[in-house]
Amino acid sequence: AADAARLALNSFDVRLRSPYVEFHGALARRHGRGSKALREALGVAGLERDADEALRARCAVDAVGAFALVASANHDCSPNCDAASDFDAPTMQLVANRAIARDEELTISYFDRRAVEGGGGDAAANARRRRRYLRRNYLFDCGCDACVSGSGG
């Protein structure tokens, strides 16, 4: 029961209707179900009954999720967890990337550190880049140990 409650709290699945079914339904309402005009309209559109995947590939979003546990994790430039997703489930989990002390806060990185740091520069310059990025994109000044000390973390 606890696992089911945790899954319910940390995943929210919104299943969208098939794009093909919606398109087919609109054409059927316009031309009449089973009509010759409907078959011709579907033929002009080049759609078959198995067109879902082709249409789904063009859609920007298949599902939307709210993941309370991951959303509650604060940022750290040297986090102790990674956010891991399994969109087949759909779930998102915090996965420890090192040993975590009993009362230590669980943290994640809000960005790809290599992309922000650019792969060069000294530790102090990289800390400035990370802090600037977080200030511009997340509207806070990073106070993690790596940024405060100016170390690589």
Side-chain angles (χ1 to χ4, degrees):
D3 288 338
R6 186 171 38 252
L7 180 62
L9 178 64
N10 290 305
S11 68
F12 179 70
D13 183 20
V14 176
R15 296 186 191 277
L16 300 180
R17 288 187 58 184
S18 156
Y20 174 82
V21 170
E22 290 182 16
F23 183 70
H24 186 276
L27 288 175
R29 285 188 296 280
R30 174 183 273 175
H31 298 292
R33 293 201 185 278
S35 70
K36 180 179 178 184
L38 175 61
R39 287 190 302 277
E40 288 173 357
L42 289 173
V44 167
L47 294 178
E48 301 293 329
R49 263 282 187 212
D50 60 346
D52 277 352
E53 287 308 311
L55 287 171
R56 193 176 308 278
R58 294 182 182 165
C59 293
V61 176
D62 278 330
V64 175
F67 304 98
L69 178 64
V70 175
S72 67
N74 283 321
H75 168 80
D76 195 298
C77 290
S78 296
N80 55 21
C81 293
D82 295 310
S85 60
D86 178 2
F87 290 107
D88 292 333
T91 60
M92 188 168 250
Q93 303 171 342
L94 289 179
V95 179
N97 58 29
R98 63 172 173 79
I100 300 172
R102 181 181 178 103
D103 292 326
E104 185 178 355
E105 178 184 18
L106 301 180
T107 59
I108 60 174
S109 179
Y110 291 175
F111 57 84
D112 178 355
R113 190 167 166 172
R114 291 170 301 206
V116 171
E117 291 178 354
D122 61 25
N126 286 335
R128 286 192 299 275
R129 284 187 193 96
R130 293 191 309 269
R131 293 183 88 175
R132 184 173 46 246
Y133 178 85
L134 288 164
R135 194 174 306 113
R136 287 181 181 165
N137 293 283
Y138 292 91
L139 306 176
F140 74 92
D141 291 317
C142 188
C144 75
D145 292 340
C147 283
V148 171
S149 69
S151 70

mmCIF file of all heavy atoms in Angstrom, residues 69-96:
data_model
loop_
_atom_site.group_PDB
_atom_site.id
_atom_site.type_symbol
_atom_site.label_atom_id
_atom_site.label_comp_id
_atom_site.label_asym_id
_atom_site.label_seq_id
_atom_site.Cartn_x
_atom_site.Cartn_y
_atom_site.Cartn_z
ATOM 1 N N LEU A 69 7.999 14.439 -5.418
ATOM 2 C CA LEU A 69 9.274 14.166 -4.741
ATOM 3 C C LEU A 69 10.427 14.850 -5.470
ATOM 4 O O LEU A 69 11.240 15.543 -4.856
ATOM 5 C CB LEU A 69 9.522 12.662 -4.652
ATOM 6 C CG LEU A 69 10.848 12.249 -4.017
ATOM 7 C CD1 LEU A 69 10.903 12.690 -2.555
ATOM 8 C CD2 LEU A 69 11.047 10.747 -4.121
ATOM 9 N N VAL A 70 10.512 14.690 -6.778
ATOM 10 C CA VAL A 70 11.602 15.294 -7.550
ATOM 11 C C VAL A 70 11.471 16.810 -7.539
ATOM 12 O O VAL A 70 12.469 17.527 -7.412
ATOM 13 C CB VAL A 70 11.636 14.733 -8.985
ATOM 14 C CG1 VAL A 70 12.687 15.440 -9.814
ATOM 15 C CG2 VAL A 70 11.896 13.230 -8.956
ATOM 16 N N ALA A 71 10.253 17.317 -7.630
ATOM 17 C CA ALA A 71 10.046 18.769 -7.633
ATOM 18 C C ALA A 71 10.455 19.408 -6.311
ATOM 19 O O ALA A 71 10.778 20.595 -6.274
ATOM 20 C CB ALA A 71 8.592 19.092 -7.937
ATOM 21 N N SER A 72 10.464 18.638 -5.240
ATOM 22 C CA SER A 72 10.829 19.201 -3.941
ATOM 23 C C SER A 72 12.340 19.215 -3.707
ATOM 24 O O SER A 72 12.805 19.804 -2.733
ATOM 25 C CB SER A 72 10.138 18.422 -2.820
ATOM 26 O OG SER A 72 10.641 17.105 -2.756
ATOM 27 N N ALA A 73 13.108 18.585 -4.594
ATOM 28 C CA ALA A 73 14.564 18.548 -4.409
ATOM 29 C C ALA A 73 15.182 19.893 -4.792
ATOM 30 O O ALA A 73 14.861 20.459 -5.832
ATOM 31 C CB ALA A 73 15.181 17.435 -5.258
ATOM 32 N N ASN A 74 16.050 20.386 -3.957
ATOM 33 C CA ASN A 74 16.760 21.634 -4.239
ATOM 34 C C ASN A 74 17.976 21.358 -5.115
ATOM 35 O O ASN A 74 18.451 20.232 -5.228
ATOM 36 C CB ASN A 74 17.201 22.303 -2.939
ATOM 37 C CG ASN A 74 16.047 22.996 -2.250
ATOM 38 O OD1 ASN A 74 15.193 23.597 -2.892
ATOM 39 N ND2 ASN A 74 16.005 22.888 -0.940
ATOM 40 N N HIS A 75 18.499 22.431 -5.691
ATOM 41 C CA HIS A 75 19.672 22.347 -6.557
ATOM 42 C C HIS A 75 20.965 22.343 -5.742
ATOM 43 O O HIS A 75 21.077 22.993 -4.704
ATOM 44 C CB HIS A 75 19.705 23.539 -7.520
ATOM 45 C CG HIS A 75 21.009 23.655 -8.233
ATOM 46 N ND1 HIS A 75 21.327 22.891 -9.321
ATOM 47 C CD2 HIS A 75 22.095 24.421 -7.974
ATOM 48 C CE1 HIS A 75 22.552 23.190 -9.720
ATOM 49 N NE2 HIS A 75 23.041 24.120 -8.922
ATOM 50 N N ASP A 76 21.938 21.641 -6.275
ATOM 51 C CA ASP A 76 23.310 21.706 -5.799
ATOM 52 C C ASP A 76 24.198 21.441 -7.012
ATOM 53 O O ASP A 76 23.862 20.586 -7.826
ATOM 54 C CB ASP A 76 23.560 20.647 -4.714
ATOM 55 C CG ASP A 76 24.843 20.899 -3.935
ATOM 56 O OD1 ASP A 76 25.932 20.876 -4.565
ATOM 57 O OD2 ASP A 76 24.759 21.106 -2.718
ATOM 58 N N CYS A 77 25.281 22.175 -7.159
ATOM 59 C CA CYS A 77 26.172 21.964 -8.307
ATOM 60 C C CYS A 77 26.923 20.640 -8.204
ATOM 61 O O CYS A 77 27.451 20.145 -9.198
ATOM 62 C CB CYS A 77 27.132 23.132 -8.456
ATOM 63 S SG CYS A 77 26.286 24.641 -9.000
ATOM 64 N N SER A 78 26.987 20.074 -6.995
ATOM 65 C CA SER A 78 27.538 18.734 -6.783
ATOM 66 C C SER A 78 26.475 17.924 -6.057
ATOM 67 O O SER A 78 26.595 17.631 -4.863
ATOM 68 C CB SER A 78 28.820 18.801 -5.948
ATOM 69 O OG SER A 78 29.812 19.507 -6.644
ATOM 70 N N PRO A 79 25.415 17.550 -6.760
ATOM 71 C CA PRO A 79 24.264 16.910 -6.102
ATOM 72 C C PRO A 79 24.570 15.498 -5.635
ATOM 73 O O PRO A 79 25.492 14.849 -6.128
ATOM 74 C CB PRO A 79 23.212 16.895 -7.211
ATOM 75 C CG PRO A 79 24.011 16.792 -8.471
ATOM 76 C CD PRO A 79 25.244 17.640 -8.208
ATOM 77 N N ASN A 80 23.748 15.028 -4.691
ATOM 78 C CA ASN A 80 23.897 13.655 -4.222
ATOM 79 C C ASN A 80 22.893 12.711 -4.892
ATOM 80 O O ASN A 80 22.908 11.516 -4.658
ATOM 81 C CB ASN A 80 23.797 13.572 -2.693
ATOM 82 C CG ASN A 80 22.526 14.185 -2.149
ATOM 83 O OD1 ASN A 80 21.538 14.336 -2.851
ATOM 84 N ND2 ASN A 80 22.569 14.563 -0.877
ATOM 85 N N CYS A 81 22.005 13.254 -5.732
ATOM 86 C CA CYS A 81 21.007 12.456 -6.443
ATOM 87 C C CYS A 81 20.904 12.910 -7.893
ATOM 88 O O CYS A 81 21.285 14.032 -8.238
ATOM 89 C CB CYS A 81 19.621 12.611 -5.815
ATOM 90 S SG CYS A 81 19.471 11.923 -4.164
ATOM 91 N N ASP A 82 20.364 12.022 -8.709
ATOM 92 C CA ASP A 82 20.000 12.346 -10.087
ATOM 93 C C ASP A 82 18.520 12.067 -10.238
ATOM 94 O O ASP A 82 17.989 11.126 -9.623
ATOM 95 C CB ASP A 82 20.779 11.478 -11.082
ATOM 96 C CG ASP A 82 22.267 11.747 -11.038
ATOM 97 O OD1 ASP A 82 22.654 12.928 -11.102
ATOM 98 O OD2 ASP A 82 23.040 10.775 -10.929
ATOM 99 N N ALA A 83 17.844 12.856 -11.035
ATOM 100 C CA ALA A 83 16.445 12.592 -11.352
ATOM 101 C C ALA A 83 16.432 11.609 -12.520
ATOM 102 O O ALA A 83 17.048 11.855 -13.550
ATOM 103 C CB ALA A 83 15.732 13.883 -11.721
ATOM 104 N N ALA A 84 15.761 10.494 -12.334
ATOM 105 C CA ALA A 84 15.704 9.459 -13.365
ATOM 106 C C ALA A 84 14.253 9.236 -13.764
ATOM 107 O O ALA A 84 13.384 9.117 -12.902
ATOM 108 C CB ALA A 84 16.313 8.159 -12.840
ATOM 109 N N SER A 85 14.001 9.209 -15.059
ATOM 110 C CA SER A 85 12.626 9.033 -15.524
ATOM 111 C C SER A 85 12.473 7.731 -16.267
ATOM 112 O O SER A 85 13.399 7.228 -16.897
ATOM 113 C CB SER A 85 12.226 10.202 -16.420
ATOM 114 O OG SER A 85 13.086 10.268 -17.530
ATOM 115 N N ASP A 86 11.276 7.185 -16.167
ATOM 116 C CA ASP A 86 10.892 5.998 -16.924
ATOM 117 C C ASP A 86 9.555 6.330 -17.546
ATOM 118 O O ASP A 86 8.513 6.228 -16.911
ATOM 119 C CB ASP A 86 10.783 4.785 -16.004
ATOM 120 C CG ASP A 86 10.338 3.538 -16.735
ATOM 121 O OD1 ASP A 86 10.141 3.597 -17.965
ATOM 122 O OD2 ASP A 86 10.168 2.503 -16.079
ATOM 123 N N PHE A 87 9.575 6.799 -18.786
ATOM 124 C CA PHE A 87 8.353 7.266 -19.407
ATOM 125 C C PHE A 87 7.435 6.135 -19.823
ATOM 126 O O PHE A 87 6.302 6.365 -20.193
ATOM 127 C CB PHE A 87 8.670 8.187 -20.587
ATOM 128 C CG PHE A 87 9.244 9.486 -20.123
ATOM 129 C CD1 PHE A 87 10.581 9.768 -20.298
ATOM 130 C CD2 PHE A 87 8.457 10.413 -19.476
ATOM 131 C CE1 PHE A 87 11.124 10.954 -19.844
ATOM 132 C CE2 PHE A 87 8.981 11.604 -19.017
ATOM 133 C CZ PHE A 87 10.316 11.876 -19.213
ATOM 134 N N ASP A 88 7.903 4.882 -19.744
ATOM 135 C CA ASP A 88 7.006 3.766 -20.003
ATOM 136 C C ASP A 88 6.069 3.555 -18.821
ATOM 137 O O ASP A 88 4.987 3.011 -18.984
ATOM 138 C CB ASP A 88 7.792 2.487 -20.275
ATOM 139 C CG ASP A 88 8.541 2.557 -21.592
ATOM 140 O OD1 ASP A 88 8.098 3.295 -22.492
ATOM 141 O OD2 ASP A 88 9.572 1.883 -21.715
ATOM 142 N N ALA A 89 6.481 3.964 -17.611
ATOM 143 C CA ALA A 89 5.689 3.692 -16.413
ATOM 144 C C ALA A 89 4.505 4.639 -16.205
ATOM 145 O O ALA A 89 3.440 4.140 -15.916
ATOM 146 C CB ALA A 89 6.592 3.660 -15.193
ATOM 147 N N PRO A 90 4.448 5.891 -16.329
ATOM 148 C CA PRO A 90 5.510 6.892 -16.285
ATOM 149 C C PRO A 90 5.791 7.311 -14.846
ATOM 150 O O PRO A 90 4.885 7.612 -14.096
ATOM 151 C CB PRO A 90 4.913 8.055 -17.059
ATOM 152 C CG PRO A 90 3.458 7.961 -16.780
ATOM 153 C CD PRO A 90 3.155 6.491 -16.620
ATOM 154 N N THR A 91 7.039 7.287 -14.481
ATOM 155 C CA THR A 91 7.456 7.679 -13.141
ATOM 156 C C THR A 91 8.739 8.476 -13.222
ATOM 157 O O THR A 91 9.405 8.497 -14.252
ATOM 158 C CB THR A 91 7.715 6.447 -12.249
ATOM 159 O OG1 THR A 91 8.746 5.669 -12.834
ATOM 160 C CG2 THR A 91 6.469 5.608 -12.061
ATOM 161 N N MET A 92 9.059 9.130 -12.149
ATOM 162 C CA MET A 92 10.337 9.816 -12.026
ATOM 163 C C MET A 92 10.820 9.568 -10.611
ATOM 164 O O MET A 92 10.031 9.617 -9.668
ATOM 165 C CB MET A 92 10.187 11.299 -12.319
ATOM 166 C CG MET A 92 11.501 12.025 -12.388
ATOM 167 S SD MET A 92 11.311 13.673 -13.080
ATOM 168 C CE MET A 92 12.112 13.420 -14.631
ATOM 169 N N GLN A 93 12.104 9.270 -10.473
ATOM 170 C CA GLN A 93 12.653 8.925 -9.172
ATOM 171 C C GLN A 93 13.920 9.712 -8.900
ATOM 172 O O GLN A 93 14.589 10.149 -9.829
ATOM 173 C CB GLN A 93 12.996 7.438 -9.132
ATOM 174 C CG GLN A 93 11.848 6.538 -9.430
ATOM 175 C CD GLN A 93 12.287 5.095 -9.602
ATOM 176 O OE1 GLN A 93 13.450 4.810 -9.827
ATOM 177 N NE2 GLN A 93 11.351 4.182 -9.494
ATOM 178 N N LEU A 94 14.224 9.842 -7.621
ATOM 179 C CA LEU A 94 15.525 10.350 -7.213
ATOM 180 C C LEU A 94 16.413 9.135 -6.993
ATOM 181 O O LEU A 94 16.040 8.217 -6.264
ATOM 182 C CB LEU A 94 15.428 11.147 -5.912
ATOM 183 C CG LEU A 94 14.750 12.498 -5.992
ATOM 184 C CD1 LEU A 94 14.708 13.147 -4.615
ATOM 185 C CD2 LEU A 94 15.451 13.399 -6.975
ATOM 186 N N VAL A 95 17.588 9.126 -7.631
ATOM 187 C CA VAL A 95 18.521 8.013 -7.513
ATOM 188 C C VAL A 95 19.820 8.560 -6.933
ATOM 189 O O VAL A 95 20.406 9.499 -7.494
ATOM 190 C CB VAL A 95 18.778 7.365 -8.895
ATOM 191 C CG1 VAL A 95 19.773 6.234 -8.773
ATOM 192 C CG2 VAL A 95 17.464 6.889 -9.505
ATOM 193 N N ALA A 96 20.250 7.988 -5.827
ATOM 194 C CA ALA A 96 21.486 8.442 -5.185
ATOM 195 C C ALA A 96 22.678 8.188 -6.100
ATOM 196 O O ALA A 96 22.785 7.131 -6.711
ATOM 197 C CB ALA A 96 21.688 7.724 -3.858
#
